[in-house]
């Protein structure tokens, strides 16, 4: 396949460059040629008047539940939990979800991801088999991890976070996760890979964390962990250890280039923690630890990383993720840039080039892949064809500035993953969007109706999350 395009975001010497009126050629699942011209044979030729970029790498998601955050978690964040929804809203949602909820979410999420820029997803959950089936069906490249914990957090009074520890320390779930990786790693033509993912720093024991890293290294796969993601978690780990969560992970030998940490937004030196003498961002940089930054899940509650630009400047490999809804990498890049500029009160930081690099080359580095996140010979044919002429993309001079600060996901016309066209004309071929949306709506209705049984205090959904408008009378 030969693509002649007005603008190509190509890669040379490890960095993105702007190729005007250029050509790229794919053969099978890989890129064969990139340059100003091409005189060789081609089975198919596409003349594209817009922009061609590499596909985007989304390094942290929970696709089996996140769509059910909509119409529920917005505008809510208990102050006693420092605005986090982890300790009341997330458990209520999970307990109230019907058996139909996860498959409805997965079937909805995969097309949503593909049509909004994600070509590689890292999915953290417990529905791995179902996730793989949907990703393979629609052609989404996926790293799938099966989460496990040594215990769980809960609140029974709405005031404090408490912990219940499992008798087996989570060993059975850990062993299932390892077996899952052994079964599915590099399957379906290498479209599917895996990773080890203990769930949260405060719900996994030191011994299990060490076991997790060792297993990941033995398997040759990445590993992930939620850490430094809430003030409550920071305070709990400081109470247990006397040091910051990131300092503790360093001391137990958990940090390193194989780790993708979500979300690392509460370092000791930040204003949310005010833990004197901390240099957590420096520790992340010095250990080569990668950070999955999912800006929207926090900034919608008034919580901001301080700041994405500072982490990058210190040398931390930053990647971009969606985590929750909307599962749009277009929105994730934009909010990453804007929130960082606001926190730093500087315009010329967190640039379009910075966040695009994090969403492509940064993600590829975190995964240990030099064949993703770039348009270069030998890289995988994971491509996005953006419209050049639209109400949001016109006028077009600088492709990345337009994509990050102006584009809508509807400017994505065609998505190619592993050489296969998986989005065409902005649509997933063969998808019955109405049916997928209807199943998700039904799952949401069932969850909302059962919310009282999921909440610690028995509150219904309208009490937990009041409607924005009063009813018509």
């Amino acid at each position: 396949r030969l693509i002649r395009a007005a603008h190509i975001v190509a890669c040379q010497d490890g960095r993105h460059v702007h190729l005007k009126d250029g050509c790229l050629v794919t053969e099978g699942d890989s890129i064969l040629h990139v340059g100003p011209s091409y005189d060789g044979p081609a089975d198919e030729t596409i003349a594209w008047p817009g922009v061609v970029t590499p596909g985007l790498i989304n390094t942290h998601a929970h696709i089996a539940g996140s769509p059910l955050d909509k119409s529920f978690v917005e505008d809510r964040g208990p102050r006693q939990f420092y605005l986090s929804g982890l300790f009341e809203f997330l458990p209520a949602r999970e307990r109230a979800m019907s058996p139909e909820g996860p498959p409805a979410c997965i079937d909805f999420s995969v097309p949503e991801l593909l049509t909004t820029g994600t070509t590689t997803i890292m999915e953290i959950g417990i529905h791995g088999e179902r996730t793989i089936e949907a990703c393979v069906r629609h052609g989404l490249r996926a790293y799938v991890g099966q989460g496990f914990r040594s215990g769980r957090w809960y609140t029974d009074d709405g005031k404090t976070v408490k912990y219940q520890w499992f008798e087996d320390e989570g060993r059975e779930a850990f062993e299932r996760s390892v077996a899952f990786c052994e079964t599915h790693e590099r399957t379906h033509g290498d479209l599917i890979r895996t990773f080890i993912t203990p769930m949260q720093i405060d719900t996994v024991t030191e011994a299990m964390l060490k076991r997790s890293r060792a297993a990941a290294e033995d398997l040759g796969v990445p590993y992930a962990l939620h850490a430094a993601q809430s003030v409550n978690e920071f305070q709990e780990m400081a109470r247990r250890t006397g040091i910051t969560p990131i300092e503790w992970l360093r001391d137990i030998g958990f940090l390193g280039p194989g780790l993708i940490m979500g979300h690392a937004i509460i370092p000791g030196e930040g204003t949310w923690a005010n833990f004197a003498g901390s240099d957590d961002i420096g520790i992340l940089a010095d250990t080569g630890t990668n950070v999955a930054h999912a800006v929207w899940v926090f900034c919608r509650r008034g919580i901001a990383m301080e700041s994405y630009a500072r982490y990058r400047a210190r040398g931390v490999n930053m990647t971009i993720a969606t985590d929750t809804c909307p599962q749009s990498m277009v929105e994730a890049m934009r909010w990453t840039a804007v929130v960082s500029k606001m926190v730093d009160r500087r315009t010329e930081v967190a640039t379009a080039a910075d966040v695009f690099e994090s969403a492509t080359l940064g993600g590829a580095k975190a995964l240990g892949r030099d064949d993703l996140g770039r348009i270069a010979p030998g890289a995988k044919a994971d491509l996005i064809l953006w419209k050049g002429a639209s109400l949001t993309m016109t006028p077009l001079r600088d492709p990345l500035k337009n994509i990050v600060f102006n584009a809508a996901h509807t400017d994505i016309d065609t998505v190619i993953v592993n050489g296969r066209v998986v989005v065409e004309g902005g649509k997933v071929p063969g998808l019955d969007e109405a049916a997928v949306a209807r199943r998700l709506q039904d799952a949401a209705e069932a969850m909302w109706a059962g919310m009282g049984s999921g909440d610690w205090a028995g509150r219904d959904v309208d009490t937990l999350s009041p409607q924005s408008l009063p009813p018509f009378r």
Side-chain angles (χ1 to χ4, degrees):
R1 179 186 292 125
L2 166 63
I3 303 174
R4 300 184 185 276
H7 303 272
I8 298 174
V9 178
C11 189
Q12 290 182 321
D13 302 321
R15 61 177 295 185
H16 292 310
V17 294
H18 183 185
L19 171 60
K20 288 186 177 182
D21 298 319
C23 299
L24 70 91
V25 180
T26 67
E27 184 175 43
D29 64 359
S30 299
I31 295 170
L32 181 67
H33 169 83
V34 184
S37 62
Y38 177 74
D39 298 323
D43 297 329
E44 176 188 5
T45 299
I46 299 172
W48 191 247
V51 182
V52 182
T53 72
L56 306 179
I57 300 170
N58 186 340
T59 54
H60 187 108
H62 305 280
I63 71 173
S66 286
L68 292 177
D69 281 345
K70 293 179 185 176
S71 253
F72 175 50
V73 302
E74 298 91 348
D75 293 338
R76 306 297 291 168
R79 65 177 185 174
Q80 68 272 28
F81 298 130
Y82 296 91
L83 312 183
S84 175
L86 292 172
F87 309 109
E88 287 192 302
F89 286 82
L90 181 61
R93 188 199 75 188
E94 291 181 344
R95 287 194 289 265
M97 197 185 304
S98 69
E100 293 73 30
C105 285
I106 293 167
D107 287 344
F108 184 93
S109 294
V110 173
E112 180 187 11
L113 291 163
L114 285 170
T115 57
T116 58
T118 293
T119 57
T120 298
I121 187 68
M122 288 192 75
E123 161 63 0
I124 301 169
I126 59 173
H127 301 280
E129 302 281 354
R130 187 66 174 76
T131 297
I132 288 173
E133 186 277 325
C135 289
V136 171
R137 174 167 24 109
H138 291 300
L140 176 62
R141 189 182 301 281
Y143 280 71
V144 184
Q146 293 290 87
F148 54 90
R149 300 183 291 181
S150 304
R152 69 176 185 94
W153 64 54
Y154 70 97
T155 182
D156 57 10
D157 58 7
K159 301 174 183 176
T160 56
V161 180
K162 301 176 182 178
Y163 293 84
Q164 176 190 17
W165 299 98
F166 306 147
E167 288 185 8
D168 74 340
E169 194 192 357
R171 184 179 290 271
E172 182 179 345
F174 164 75
E175 291 173 352
R176 287 198 302 269
S177 178
V178 171
F180 178 88
C181 292
E182 292 172 338
T183 299
H184 296 288
E185 176 66 9
R186 301 191 184 220
T187 57
H188 301 281
D190 202 23
L191 191 71
I192 301 300
R193 294 197 185 187
T194 60
F195 62 105
I196 294 292
T197 179
M199 287 301 288
Q200 301 98 9
I201 185 175
D202 50 334
T203 64
V204 183
T205 64
E206 176 180 343
M208 185 59 76
L209 286 174
K210 291 179 176 178
R211 195 175 293 126
S212 300
R213 174 169 180 167
E217 291 175 345
D218 288 344
L219 291 164
V221 301
Y223 60 109
L225 177 73
H226 295 77
Q229 68 170 332
S230 74
V231 176
N232 298 79
E233 172 228 281
F234 185 100
Q235 293 175 341
E236 172 66 18
M237 294 308 298
R239 182 191 65 79
R240 294 181 196 174
T241 67
I243 53 181
T244 75
I246 290 172
E247 288 170 344
W248 182 71
L249 289 173
R250 175 201 58 194
D251 291 352
I252 68 170
F254 191 76
L255 302 180
L259 173 61
I260 301 170
M261 183 185 292
H263 300 270
I265 65 163
I266 312 290
E269 60 267 40
T271 62
W272 289 94
N274 283 319
F275 207 77
S278 300
D279 183 25
D280 284 347
I281 298 173
I283 291 171
L284 294 173
D286 293 343
T287 57
T289 301
N290 310 282
V291 171
H293 180 41
V295 60
W296 181 246
V297 68
F298 298 104
C299 76
R300 71 182 177 194
R301 287 195 170 93
I303 305 167
M305 172 180 273
E306 300 171 345
S307 70
Y308 162 85
R310 295 181 207 174
Y311 284 62
R312 271 183 55 94
R314 182 58 178 80
V316 179
N317 182 46
M318 298 297 291
T319 72
I320 304 293
T322 56
D323 192 5
T324 185
C325 62
Q327 297 177 110
S328 167
M329 284 291 279
V330 179
E331 294 292 329
M333 289 191 295
R334 179 166 304 155
W335 282 100
T336 295
V338 170
V339 171
S340 185
K341 293 174 189 290
M342 292 176 68
V343 170
D344 283 327
R345 298 187 181 185
R346 296 177 61 196
T347 304
E348 296 177 358
V349 298
T351 64
D354 290 342
V355 298
F356 188 83
E357 180 183 276
S358 292
T360 52
L361 297 173
K365 180 180 179 180
L367 294 172
R369 301 284 297 264
D370 60 6
D371 60 346
L372 297 181
R374 70 204 70 205
I375 295 178
K380 292 297 183 184
D382 292 3
L383 306 168
I384 302 175
L385 277 61
W386 305 75
K387 299 173 184 176
S390 71
L391 293 177
T392 44
M393 285 285 277
T394 305
L396 175 57
R397 167 182 163 268
D398 184 317
L400 292 193
K401 288 180 180 177
N402 275 29
I403 287 169
V404 171
F405 294 115
N406 302 292
H409 79 269
T410 51
D411 288 308
I412 295 174
D413 181 272
T414 303
V415 178
I416 300 169
V417 178
N418 223 30
R420 170 187 170 188
V421 174
V422 295
V423 174
E424 192 169 13
K427 302 290 184 180
V428 174
L431 178 70
D432 187 339
E433 290 187 11
V436 168
R438 185 168 57 251
R439 287 196 297 273
L440 182 64
Q441 182 68 32
D442 290 344
E445 297 281 358
M447 183 190 75
W448 298 330
M451 193 61 68
S453 62
D455 177 56
W456 69 268
R459 293 167 290 185
D460 65 16
V461 68
D462 288 332
T463 303
L464 271 171
S465 179
Q467 295 275 3
S468 297
L469 301 174
F472 179 84
R473 300 187 186 280

